[in-house]
Amino acid sequence: QVQLVESGGGPVQPGGSLTLSCVASGNLFSLVPVGWYRQAPGNQREWVAIIYTENSTSYSNSVKGRFTISRDNAKNTLFLQMNSLKPEDTAVYYCNTRPARRENWGQGTQVTVSA
């Protein structure tokens, strides 16, 4: 019955920045690896960034050096700081555990990068 609610998306110009947030209904983020995923139009959903229980992180090659994942376990909140955004980053962004669980997918938050 875990609920995940993403927010912070919106339109942004190339080179701009956004910070996304994900709030969990329980203490999920302190128990298991969690991360950000995205799905662009016409593409399959892919993982973007993962943070593990010991706070180590992993990033997909397409966002490495531009995005930073972090969390506040006390507030059950996950963040994704996105810098130097490119049109290719346009997608709906979701949070979930790693591995993802089907029942956790929410509606996501739309990020649109265009001039």
Side-chain angles (χ1 to χ4, degrees), residues 64-77:
K64 193 173 300 180
R66 300 187 297 120
F67 291 10
T68 303
I69 187 171
S70 62
R71 67 183 171 198
D72 185 335
N73 289 344
K75 296 180 178 179
N76 298 315
T77 304

Side-chain angles (χ1 to χ4, degrees), residues 2-115:
V2 63
Q3 267 200 315
L4 300 172
V5 180
E6 302 92 345
S7 63
V12 63
Q13 295 191 56
S17 298
L18 283 174
T19 299
L20 307 183
S21 299
C22 169
V23 179
S25 59
N27 298 324
L28 179 67
F29 297 157
S30 65
L31 301 175
V32 297
V34 294
W36 288 94
Y37 303 74
R38 68 185 181 187
Q39 186 167 20
N43 285 356
Q44 187 60 51
R45 184 144 46 195
E46 63 177 344
W47 74 274
V48 173
I50 306 296
I51 186 165
Y52 300 91
T53 55
E54 75 274 24
N55 287 324
S56 62
T57 57
S58 295
Y59 298 91
S60 67
N61 288 334
S62 61
V63 308
K64 193 173 300 180
R66 300 187 297 120
F67 291 10
T68 303
I69 187 171
S70 62
R71 67 183 171 198
D72 185 335
N73 289 344
K75 296 180 178 179
N76 298 315
T77 304
L78 184 71
F79 303 97
L80 184 67
Q81 181 184 356
M82 306 185 296
N83 299 321
S84 302
L85 284 161
K86 306 174 180 180
E88 306 90 84
D89 296 318
T90 295
V92 179
Y93 284 72
Y94 304 85
C95 54
N96 208 328
T97 54
R98 180 73 169 178
R101 300 183 70 90
R102 290 182 176 271
E103 62 268 29
N104 289 345
W105 295 119
Q107 292 193 328
T109 185
Q110 175 73 52
V111 173
T112 303
V113 185
S114 63

